[in-house]
């Protein structure tokens, strides 16, 4: 017998199959094949002992939809599966997922290090609002991974980055950062929103926690807000006594210790049983349903998003009105090799380019678009365009805009899954108008 046929255990389904099936099964009562929307706030207890066990976390089950819902839990399992993680927790938005993660990790006075190439909303959340909770974020240039090591202090509890960074075109070398964090005994958290698990699986490269704004490519149709936290299950929370919230008895649960009791899913259990319970940014069952449905076509959509983006980037690079294009799929990109390593299925579909005509040309171009929608989102089936300097980044000085990759000449595109010729035609006429 060959070693191949001797192998036992469950079949390892491919990504596309798991995107359709993971976490879901026909409804045991009705036989419904699609995951139903369990539009209920609460669940009947068998008896008082059953209720007590649920409240004590000594038994799994549903009791109140702030803490868990059958539709939402299918989504949690599906994203955890696609990310190669151990367990997941959904939240009302990507930002809510980030808050729940850091509330579970940090004590007042703690610090973390973040790549400075992040979604703008994350920079504001970390730099301003988190500051008021006593958490300090140090931003570093991720181009040199050693910058993360240099920013370490005894109070550093995590490193946060986007491998494929919003607004796009930048790829961060994850492996050396994982090594630096490992030596320091702290987890690496990756915001994988821009790539989706189809293009990049950070846990395979050693990341400990993955976060998504499911609002973008996972739901994929611009119709539902959401966030998910996935834990790898591989981080040792005991080392160095750095994470008392994970390793010391919790007074609200009769002295239960999350890491000791729940082991490789202790982090998401604590995030649910404490942070989600006490702050309440729960994902609605309808949004979970729409996101589950979106994920079923993730691989198909991402392939089309990427091939359209590659076509558009090449077209723009050759266009006389365009100064530069920052897309990691172009031969001219300094991130091409990192993209080939971490994003073998393609470097996403959200990127920026610069107009020779500067600010005024940017304003004219977005207004001249007909097929592209002028709005502040990414990861929709529809192609989207925004001129950050006149919209999302208009409060900043020109110097700050340039540092954030949102200078006066910058246009950000999120390329949809429409016919590529139609997309090029719309950009061409809008560039002529500008
Ligand atoms: C949109 C986005 C977020 C925030 O997610 P919301 O669902 O809008 O709260 C975080 N990170 C990245 C990379 C994003 O694109």
């Amino acid at each position: 017998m060959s070693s191949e046929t001797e192998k036992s255990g469950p079949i390892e389904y491919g990504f596309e199959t798991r995107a359709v099936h993971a976490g879901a099964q026909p409804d045991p009562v009705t036989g419904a094949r699609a995951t139903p929307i369990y539009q209920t706030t609460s669940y009947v207890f068998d008896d008082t002992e059953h209720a007590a066990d649920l409240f004590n976390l000594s038994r799994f089950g549903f009791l109140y939809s702030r803490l868990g819902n059958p539709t939402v839990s299918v989504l949690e399992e599906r994203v955890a599966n696609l990310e190669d993680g151990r367990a997941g927790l959904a939240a009302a938005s990507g930002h809510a997922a980030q808050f729940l993660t850091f509330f579970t990790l940090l004590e007042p006075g703690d610090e973390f290090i973040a790549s400075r190439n992040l979604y703008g909303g994350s920079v504001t959340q970390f730099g301003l609002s988190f500051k008021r909770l006593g958490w300090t974020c140090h931003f570093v240039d991720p181009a040199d991974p050693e910058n993360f090591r240099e920013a370490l202090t005894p109070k550093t509890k995590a490193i946060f980055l986007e491998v494929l960074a919003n607004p796009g075109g930048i790829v961060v070398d994850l492996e050396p950062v994982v090594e630096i964090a490992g030596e320091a005994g702290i987890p690496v958290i990756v915001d994988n929103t821009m790539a989706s698990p189809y293009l990049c699986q950070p846990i395979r490269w050693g990341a400990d926690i993955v976060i998504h704004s499911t609002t973008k490519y996972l739901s994929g149709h611009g119709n539902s807000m959401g966030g998910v936290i996935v834990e790898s299950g591989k981080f040792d929370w005991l080392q160095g006594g750095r994470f008392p919230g994970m390793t010391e008895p919790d007074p609200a649960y009769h002295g239960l210790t999350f890491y000791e009791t729940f082991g490789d899913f202790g982090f998401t259990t604590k995030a649910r049983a404490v942070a989600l319970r006490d702050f309440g940014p729960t994902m609605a069952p309808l949004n979970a349903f729409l996101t589950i449905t979106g994920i079923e076509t993730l691989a198909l959509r991402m392939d089309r998003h990427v091939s359209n983006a590659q076509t558009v980037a090449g077209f723009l690079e050759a266009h006389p009105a365009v100064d530069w294009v920052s897309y990691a799929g172009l031969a001219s990109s300094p991130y091409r090799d990192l993209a080939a390593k971490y994003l073998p299925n393609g470097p996403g579909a959200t990127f920026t380019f610069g107009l020779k005509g500067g600010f005024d040309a940017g304003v004219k171009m977005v207004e001249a678009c007909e097929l592209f929608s002028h709005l502040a989102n990414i990861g929709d089936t529809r192609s989207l365009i925004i001129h950050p300097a006149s919209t999302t980044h208009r409060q900043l000085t020109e110097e700050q805009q340039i540092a954030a990759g949102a200078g006066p000449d910058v246009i950000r595109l999120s390329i949809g899954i429409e016919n590529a010729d139609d997309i090029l035609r719309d950009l061409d006429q809008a560039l002529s108008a500008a």
Side-chain angles (χ1 to χ4, degrees):
M1 253 202 269
S2 76
S3 61
E4 205 54 43
T5 52
E6 271 168 350
K7 262 191 207 160
S8 59
I11 301 165
E12 261 285 312
Y13 285 118
F15 185 92
E16 294 82 351
T17 309
R18 291 180 286 122
V20 174
H21 290 283
Q25 53 199 21
D27 185 72
V29 176
T30 63
R33 191 62 191 86
T35 299
I37 303 165
Y38 285 93
Q39 192 66 34
T40 182
T41 55
S42 33
Y43 309 83
V44 177
F45 305 123
D46 296 343
D47 50 36
T48 41
E49 197 187 321
H50 176 217
D53 287 349
L54 288 170
F55 278 104
N56 288 342
L57 303 181
S58 57
R59 178 183 182 138
F60 295 107
F62 299 104
L63 69 144
Y64 187 58
S65 282
R66 175 162 19 90
L67 295 166
N69 170 282
T71 313
V72 176
S73 76
V74 170
L75 173 67
E76 292 168 340
E77 257 192 72
R78 185 161 304 173
V79 180
N81 180 297
L82 295 181
E83 285 290 2
D84 231 14
R86 175 67 179 88
L89 175 67
S93 68
H95 268 11
Q98 288 170 193
F99 172 77
L100 296 178
T101 297
F102 284 103
F103 186 81
T104 305
L105 269 181
L106 304 183
E107 307 294 326
D110 280 348
E111 302 179 0
F112 66 103
I113 304 168
S115 160
R116 70 173 192 199
N117 294 116
L118 297 182
Y119 172 68
S122 300
V123 174
T124 310
Q125 186 190 45
F126 295 172
L128 299 176
S129 290
F130 279 10
K131 186 87 199 155
R132 295 182 54 196
L133 303 174
W135 308 333
T136 302
C137 176
H138 298 285
F139 291 100
V140 301
D141 179 355
D144 181 359
E146 284 303 309
N147 290 340
F148 289 96
R149 194 195 306 277
E150 275 159 31
L152 286 168
T153 77
K155 290 181 185 168
T156 307
K157 297 293 168 74
I159 290 177
F160 185 99
L161 58 88
E162 297 174 16
V163 174
L164 180 63
N166 190 341
I170 294 170
V171 182
V172 175
D173 195 359
L174 178 59
E175 256 187 326
V177 180
V178 163
E179 205 173 302
I180 291 163
E183 284 165 22
I186 57 173
V188 172
I189 307 168
V190 174
D191 178 344
N192 201 30
T193 301
M194 288 276 289
S196 90
Y198 180 65
L199 300 184
C200 179
Q201 284 146 18
I203 288 174
R204 296 211 168 156
W205 298 102
D208 302 290
I209 295 169
V210 171
I211 291 181
H212 279 281
S213 165
T214 61
T215 313
K216 315 293 167 54
Y217 291 102
L218 288 180
S219 69
H221 297 70
N223 60 15
S224 41
M225 300 293 301
V228 170
I229 306 162
V230 174
E231 73 178 307
S232 71
K234 293 180 191 134
F235 190 77
D236 175 7
W237 298 101
L238 276 167
Q239 54 184 318
R242 273 181 210 95
F243 302 97
M246 287 298 296
T247 58
E248 285 174 17
D250 191 300
Y253 287 106
H254 305 299
L256 169 153
T257 304
F258 280 96
Y259 190 36
E260 191 180 63
T261 309
F262 299 104
D264 59 3
F265 57 101
F267 184 80
T268 43
T269 305
K270 183 169 189 215
R272 181 192 307 279
V274 179
L276 186 62
R277 178 198 62 187
D278 291 348
F279 295 97
T282 304
M283 180 185 275
L286 174 61
N287 283 1
F289 170 83
L290 290 167
T291 306
I292 292 164
T293 307
I295 289 172
E296 292 177 7
T297 56
L298 180 68
L300 294 169
R301 285 186 289 107
M302 292 315 291
D303 279 339
R304 174 63 77 91
H305 277 298
V306 166
S307 79
N308 279 355
Q310 187 72 43
T311 303
V312 169
F315 163 81
L316 290 173
E317 196 169 50
H319 198 285
V322 172
D323 196 12
W324 52 268
V325 181
S326 176
Y327 182 63
L330 291 172
S332 60
S333 168
Y335 301 104
R336 196 179 160 88
D337 292 344
L338 286 174
K341 173 173 174 180
Y342 293 109
L343 303 144
N345 288 337
T350 302
F351 62 94
T352 52
F353 69 95
L355 282 167
K356 286 183 183 156
F359 187 94
D360 293 338
V363 171
K364 278 190 202 137
M365 180 174 182
V366 293
E367 287 181 351
C369 279
E370 285 164 11
L371 181 63
F372 275 75
S373 302
H374 178 203
L375 55 74
N377 190 25
I378 61 167
D380 197 325
T381 49
R382 289 154 274 261
S383 289
L384 314 175
I385 186 166
I386 197 159
H387 178 229
S390 63
T391 55
T392 52
H393 289 68
R394 67 176 299 128
Q395 267 78 346
L396 305 184
T397 64
E398 187 169 324
E399 205 171 45
Q400 287 173 315
Q401 286 174 349
I402 291 166
D409 62 328
V410 177
I411 299 279
R412 185 184 75 188
L413 300 178
S414 170
I415 302 300
I417 61 173
E418 303 100 329
N419 179 290
D421 292 338
D422 293 337
I423 295 173
L424 295 184
R425 197 177 312 119
D426 193 40
L427 288 172
D428 198 32
Q429 66 79 21
L431 282 165
S432 307

